[in-house]
Amino acid sequence: MCIEWLFFDVGNTLVDESKAYETRLLEAAALIGKPYELIQEEALEFYRQNDKGDLAVMDKYGIPKPKWPKEDERLYPETVEVLKALKAKYKIGVIANQSLGTAARLQAWGILQFIDLVIASAEEGVSKPDPRIFEIALGRADCKAEHAVMIGDRIDNDVVPAKKMGMKTVWIRQGGGGLWQLQGPEQQPDFTVDNLGELVKIFCMTTGNFWRVVNPNRD
């Protein structure tokens, strides 16, 4: 059971959104009239409770959601080299909840050259965790679920729905999603990593038989 496609989320997976979240919470703190450090800690506590921390804070205080500061998004330092290494062995796709123009943003960051397929919620009219967005991606890739891996920071949006589809999964613990508390086997990823660089060890330093890597005692 060899892997053919690696599908990535974008935010907090390929792209570092930490500065963007900081900007959003600074604006929220100003609207609420409380210190940024207090609002940040409240957001982190919501993340630890498996909630979307920044949005939960805004709901708690009844304030409007500040515009997402796309200008604060940055690639992780290892994104380019990791994609380049993985592209030599696998097809690379994106399955992400993103606004219109995802491919253009990937191009501006200089990584679209490594990506064979971009499936974004705004263009498709369906968002993760809806299984239809995974079905669309697998269909366009002409790939069976068991030959694909979903890599993302969100247990609820990336790991759980991909597992239900029959895909293998990697949870990358970056951003607030990395604080998720696993609850039950349906939330257990095949691999857990703390940065993109660890993916090279998993996917490029094996024979490509991912099933044997995950289940070394299986025939």
Side-chain angles (χ1 to χ4, degrees), residues 169-173 182 188-194 198 202:
T169 58
V170 178
W171 178 30
I172 184 163
R173 293 188 296 195
L182 296 176
Q188 184 64 48
D190 292 294
F191 281 104
T192 298
V193 300
D194 293 316
E198 294 180 52
I202 296 172

Side-chain angles (χ1 to χ4, degrees), residues 38-57 60 154-156 171 175-183 187:
L38 175 62
I39 298 304
Q40 180 190 44
E41 183 52 42
E42 288 190 3
L44 291 174
E45 184 56 34
F46 277 119
Y47 277 117
R48 296 184 191 105
Q49 297 172 18
N50 297 351
D51 203 345
K52 192 74 164 58
D54 58 321
L55 300 183
V57 164
K60 174 182 176 179
R154 295 276 298 273
I155 293 296
D156 52 347
W171 178 30
L179 299 176
W180 186 280
Q181 303 299 307
L182 296 176
Q183 298 176 348
Q187 296 187 3

Side-chain angles (χ1 to χ4, degrees), residues 151-171:
I151 301 162
D153 66 304
R154 295 276 298 273
I155 293 296
D156 52 347
N157 276 358
D158 299 314
V159 172
V160 171
K163 282 175 68 75
K164 288 180 180 179
M165 293 293 298
M167 301 169 70
K168 300 304 177 188
T169 58
V170 178
W171 178 30

Side-chain angles (χ1 to χ4, degrees), residues 60-108:
K60 174 182 176 179
Y61 290 100
I63 63 170
K65 181 171 67 175
K67 182 180 178 181
W68 180 253
K70 293 180 181 178
E71 65 277 7
D72 288 337
E73 297 176 330
R74 301 287 187 271
L75 291 182
Y76 285 103
E78 64 270 31
T79 298
V80 172
E81 288 304 313
V82 168
L83 287 178
K84 183 177 180 180
L86 296 175
K87 176 61 176 172
K89 194 169 183 180
Y90 304 93
K91 292 285 190 179
I92 305 295
V94 161
I95 305 175
N97 289 350
Q98 289 282 310
S99 57
L100 292 170
T102 301
R105 290 193 295 280
L106 297 173
Q107 178 67 48

Side-chain angles (χ1 to χ4, degrees), residues 22-36:
E22 179 182 347
T23 298
R24 172 175 269 191
L25 288 178
L26 281 167
E27 293 183 22
L31 289 172
I32 295 167
K34 292 191 175 184
Y36 165 75

